[in-house]
Amino acid sequence: MSSLATIQKNGNEMSTSKNATRRSNASLPSFSSWVEDLFESGMGTGFMSNFNTGMTLPAVNIKENAEEFFLEIAVPGMKKSDFDIDVDNKILSVSSERKEDNTTEEGNYTRREFGYASFKRTFTLPDSIESDHISAKYEDGILTVHLPKKEEAKEKPAKRINVS
């Protein structure tokens, strides 16, 4: 005697009969079609667009106070000489390109390791930045770009006006 009871699980109907179980498994996607669907979805596209390109974008914090802005860019493992920082037409560009090639020859074998990494971040500067006085320093894996504000853009302290 076959018992057939339909129950709800995660919004889908499930049957407890053996024949119904076989039929429901037939509608499950195969592993290869599941992988294809995964990479055709938005997640897969975004993942594959940056896969194996040697490009990663470092995290950036932007801080502001009354006098200036600071960009803090997390780029560990670099040297000061690895960075190119340019200002052109109110666009600040921070980029780096690093190539490594290590070859070791011992006895009858050669070991060669090489790598490539690069990034470029651009920022549109507001009119309030004094672009002639932008400076940068690199310390403990953080590149800090100092963007001072023009004198007229600096916040003035509150002022009380007496009525006469």
Side-chain angles (χ1 to χ4, degrees), residues 12-163:
N12 297 323
E13 285 189 0
M14 295 182 62
S15 177
T16 59
S17 100
K18 290 181 182 178
N19 290 337
T21 303
R22 282 189 200 112
R23 274 185 262 120
S24 66
N25 285 343
S27 65
L28 291 175
S30 68
F31 180 76
S32 62
S33 68
W34 177 79
V35 171
E36 287 175 14
D37 291 345
L38 176 68
F39 287 107
E40 288 176 0
S41 71
M43 178 274 197
T45 305
F47 176 74
M48 292 304 287
S49 66
N50 287 328
F51 183 73
N52 204 20
T53 62
M55 279 298 252
T56 57
L57 292 178
V60 175
N61 290 330
I62 301 174
K63 295 181 179 181
E64 178 184 17
N65 61 36
E67 306 276 322
E68 62 222 342
F69 287 94
F70 288 98
L71 295 178
E72 296 175 332
I73 305 172
V75 281
M78 308 288 277
K79 297 180 293 204
K80 293 176 186 180
S81 61
D82 290 336
F83 299 106
D84 290 319
I85 302 172
D86 300 306
V87 176
D88 183 25
N89 227 7
K90 296 183 186 179
I91 302 292
L92 173 72
S93 298
V94 180
S95 62
S96 177
E97 180 178 29
R98 190 172 69 178
K99 299 175 186 177
E100 291 184 26
D101 191 355
N102 299 320
T103 304
T104 305
E105 294 186 26
E106 291 183 21
N108 59 355
Y109 74 90
T110 299
R111 184 180 81 183
R112 182 171 184 223
E113 295 180 11
F114 57 95
Y116 176 82
S118 69
F119 76 88
K120 182 174 186 175
R121 297 289 308 251
T122 59
F123 305 90
T124 301
L125 299 177
D127 292 333
S128 62
I129 297 298
E130 186 69 57
S131 60
D132 293 338
H133 294 101
I134 294 174
S135 61
K137 72 175 184 173
Y138 181 67
E139 186 174 64
D140 297 330
I142 304 293
L143 176 66
T144 303
V145 181
H146 175 241
L147 304 161
K149 292 181 179 179
K150 293 179 180 175
E151 196 61 40
E152 62 269 15
K154 294 180 182 178
E155 292 180 23
K156 308 292 188 263
K159 179 180 168 182
R160 183 160 179 86
I161 302 192
N162 294 321
V163 178

